Amino acid sequence: MLLKWSRPPAFGEMFFVVFILTPALSVTSLPADIEKGRRKVVHVLEDDTGAVIVQTAPGKVVTHRGGSITLPCRFHHEPENTDPARIRIKWTKVTDALQFEDVFVALGRQQRVFGSYRGRVFLEQAGPGDASVIIQNVTLEDYGRYECEVTNDMEDDTGFVNLDLEGVVFPYYPREGRYKLNYHQAEDACKQQDAILASHSQLHKAWLEGLDWCNAGWLEDGSVQYPISHPRDQCGRKDNPAGVRNYGYRHKEDERYDAFCFTSKLNGKVYFLKRFKKVNYVEAMKACIRDGSVVAKVGQLYAAWKFQLLDRCEAGWMEDGSVRYPIVNPRSRCGGSQPGVRHLGFPDKKFRLYGVYCFRKNKDETAGGTEVTKSPTDNLTRRKSSNSIPMNATRVI
């Protein structure tokens, strides 16, 4: 893009140029060997009135849980002999509700990291004018929009970067039944299943990949929505177009729905425990413990289906007392023609007998097969192309 200034800067006048470097493609879109980065640049110039002019839009970077990622931000100031000790760099996370969470601040050589980011966020320090930060051991909660603010005395400007995660969205309801969760209970339910409430953009992406679910669920912004890929009368009328149906923002305390949860790659492995006989729920818990693991959570099973390509035509207990099984390659005797995680409901824990899916954490400090960055000056961790499969309908049988 060609940028034209209304006039050249006067002698001694100061201006910033802040660069936001953003990969244009998610690693799930293309193989790693053809994945390329594109540069989006934010130019800031002080005009006659002292106002700041932002020339371009922000972008996003993509990683997965447990990985490391650079949030890119560069600045340029003139005159170039400006004292670096007077440059203040601040990173903030911005929520949909326009609430701000401090992440990192640096003034000269003094630096401070806040909250859950302590010990995980560092300046990249790739050279003069680099305000980029590295986030190590990325968590599900790190997902979102970040603001990079660069200040020199009285002048400042900001750029924005969206941190996106590779992952999978899944609908969830508890043993008590459907439409039993207010917003806060839905939040807790997702966390208990190794997940977080999904965002609208995550649900929309899942719908594009084939997710079809006829029950409305909470999203992280407090709205209630549901994705329909195959319109039908029992799901908002057959003549309505396919899409993500939206009930709008609902009362978080009084109204009750299901939940749409989001999870990402695992720091461990989900597996079906091979046994000579089927077991009840208590026996399943003991069997996983004897095998050096625990009963898998629902979010862990979805992550294993999505990223480990776990395919098993045998129903097994989950940690929440439900019974499910993951199908990557559909076949007629395994619940239908679509890939997905099959759900058999919440059987009686004492008298019903099934297999069990266990989860075992990795013993080393790697996450999802990607090595965690060891120092703030390391390059961005290499991201491998995902072996994920399209997200299709989750079926209840």
Side-chain angles (χ1 to χ4, degrees), residues 217-232:
W218 290 103
L219 297 183
E220 57 90 20
D221 63 357
S223 66
V224 173
Q225 305 181 33
Y226 65 102
I228 295 296
S229 297
H230 308 288
R232 48 210 185 268

Side-chain angles (χ1 to χ4, degrees), residues 65 140 167-173 189-198 202-203 206 211 213 217-219 227 258-264 297-303 305 320 324 341 391-392 394:
R65 176 170 54 181
L140 294 175
V168 57
V169 172
F170 62 94
Y172 187 80
Y173 61 90
C190 288
K191 289 180 180 178
Q192 290 169 12
Q193 300 309 316
D194 193 43
I196 58 174
L197 277 176
Q202 289 168 339
L203 182 63
L211 180 61
W213 193 254
W218 290 103
L219 297 183
D258 294 345
F260 284 102
C261 305
F262 174 85
T263 193
S264 186
K297 299 176 183 292
V298 174
Q300 292 168 340
L301 184 65
Y302 271 92
W305 167 76
D320 67 341
R324 307 174 192 245
V341 174
M391 173 65 175
N392 283 299
T394 303

Side-chain angles (χ1 to χ4, degrees), residues 181-388:
L181 304 172
N182 66 24
Y183 175 82
H184 306 291
Q185 291 168 335
E187 266 192 321
D188 291 340
C190 288
K191 289 180 180 178
Q192 290 169 12
Q193 300 309 316
D194 193 43
I196 58 174
L197 277 176
S199 68
H200 169 74
S201 62
Q202 289 168 339
L203 182 63
H204 184 262
K205 181 181 178 182
W207 169 73
L208 291 175
E209 295 175 347
L211 180 61
D212 183 280
W213 193 254
C214 198
N215 290 82
W218 290 103
L219 297 183
E220 57 90 20
D221 63 357
S223 66
V224 173
Q225 305 181 33
Y226 65 102
I228 295 296
S229 297
H230 308 288
R232 48 210 185 268
D233 287 335
Q234 61 269 38
C235 299
R237 297 181 60 181
K238 186 176 181 179
D239 55 354
N240 284 342
V244 178
R245 311 284 169 77
N246 192 342
Y247 286 3
Y249 298 99
R250 314 306 295 181
H251 195 287
K252 291 184 176 181
E253 302 288 346
D254 296 341
E255 299 192 41
R256 281 167 168 74
Y257 299 94
D258 294 345
F260 284 102
C261 305
F262 174 85
T263 193
S264 186
K265 287 188 177 181
L266 296 170
N267 184 15
K269 180 181 180 180
V270 173
Y271 61 98
F272 184 83
L273 183 61
K274 295 181 180 179
R275 294 179 55 84
F276 294 109
K277 65 176 184 176
K278 296 180 179 180
V279 293
N280 65 24
Y281 180 77
V282 173
E283 292 169 337
M285 292 182 62
K286 294 178 179 178
C288 286
I289 292 173
R290 285 195 298 268
D291 202 50
S293 58
V294 295
V295 179
K297 299 176 183 292
V298 174
Q300 292 168 340
L301 184 65
Y302 271 92
W305 167 76
K306 179 76 171 181
F307 298 108
Q308 293 177 204
L309 302 183
L310 182 62
D311 183 288
R312 188 85 186 192
C313 193
E314 295 185 69
W317 289 105
M318 307 303 301
E319 187 267 348
D320 67 341
S322 64
V323 172
R324 307 174 192 245
Y325 62 99
I327 296 297
V328 173
N329 301 306
R331 49 267 198 204
S332 58
R333 63 184 182 86
C334 298
S337 60
Q338 297 293 329
V341 174
R342 313 290 194 245
H343 184 193
L344 303 187
F346 294 85
D348 185 284
K349 290 184 175 181
K350 184 175 181 180
F351 297 107
R352 297 299 297 272
L353 305 178
Y354 297 94
V356 60
Y357 287 93
C358 304
F359 172 74
R360 180 182 294 129
K361 284 186 177 181
N362 290 337
K363 294 182 179 180
D364 55 20
E365 295 182 355
T366 62
T370 302
E371 183 179 348
V372 175
T373 306
K374 292 296 190 287
S375 76
T377 57
D378 287 346
N379 292 329
L380 178 63
T381 301
R382 294 188 302 274
R383 293 184 307 236
K384 300 180 180 178
S385 60
S386 173
N387 291 324
S388 62

